Amino acid sequence: MVATGPRCGRRIVRVRGAPADLAAFVMGRLCAEVEGFNLQAATRIAARDREGLERMARYLARTPIANDRLSRLDDGRLELRLKRPWRDGTTAFVYTPHDLLERLVAIVPRPRAHLTRYFGVFAPAFAARAGIVPSTEPAAPSSGLEPTRRHGRRHRRCRIGYRGRP
């Protein structure tokens, strides 16, 4: 939906073609792709691998839109062609320049927002996390007690929202 401007509240224009039949594609033991999203569990960077870190940083700093898939129409609108047709046959979207910028701004994360989320044993509130995740502090003598949550309750961090609202 368009949020601002003269087309406020209307749907974005879709260009449709023949519907595509998409299924999961397993590319290897630790890699799979489903509907354009892929997971590469084998990607890792060693602690002192500066070239690998630079490669990963360059990959993550790519532009959000490939320039060869964006074109200007005769009436001044922009057509963004998709890499692969969607299941319903959508092959491109047509935006006004303002609408496209609005969509791009909406996906920019807010300042100081955590972009990596941890679940399971690596989550910050997991009770036995201290026994699993290596620590840089010297190990304290073991008392035979299992790790417990601090004071039996969760700690809240103060979050300041927009315009100073919590």
Side-chain angles (χ1 to χ4, degrees):
M1 298 289 244
V2 179
T4 61
R7 298 193 67 242
C8 181
R10 295 188 184 151
R11 292 181 178 259
I12 294 174
V13 178
R14 287 187 180 190
V15 178
R16 295 185 186 222
D21 184 29
L22 300 175
F25 177 66
V26 178
M27 296 183 287
R29 188 173 145 243
L30 297 175
C31 187
E33 182 173 328
V34 177
E35 296 186 10
F37 293 96
N38 65 20
L39 172 66
Q40 297 181 1
T43 303
R44 64 178 176 81
I45 299 174
R48 299 188 192 276
D49 183 6
R50 300 300 295 172
E51 291 81 22
L53 180 61
E54 181 180 353
R55 237 182 358 261
M56 181 63 75
R58 286 180 185 273
Y59 175 75
L60 294 173
R62 298 171 308 166
T63 58
I65 298 175
N67 289 336
D68 58 339
R69 292 194 284 132
L70 185 65
S71 60
R72 184 178 295 273
L73 301 175
D74 293 335
D75 61 356
R77 294 182 301 166
L78 302 171
E79 181 181 60
L80 177 62
R81 288 180 304 283
L82 300 174
K83 202 186 287 187
R84 285 178 289 286
W86 285 5
R87 185 174 294 153
D88 67 353
T90 302
T91 58
F93 290 103
V94 178
Y95 297 100
T96 64
H98 183 266
D99 291 342
L100 180 62
L101 286 176
E102 181 182 298
R103 299 288 286 197
L104 291 175
V105 167
I107 63 173
V108 174
R110 65 184 176 89
R112 296 173 297 283
H114 294 286
L115 301 180
T116 305
R117 310 266 182 203
Y118 294 99
F119 299 94
V121 296
F122 292 111
F126 185 67
R129 184 176 192 269
I132 297 169
V133 178
S135 174
T136 57
E137 300 173 7
S142 177
S143 63
L145 299 175
E146 294 183 18
T148 60
R149 295 172 81 173
R150 292 182 220 151
H151 308 294
R153 64 179 177 207
R154 288 186 147 177
H155 289 276
R156 287 184 53 180
R157 289 187 178 154
C158 179
R159 290 188 192 175
I160 298 175
Y162 295 105
R163 297 184 188 161
R165 284 185 251 143

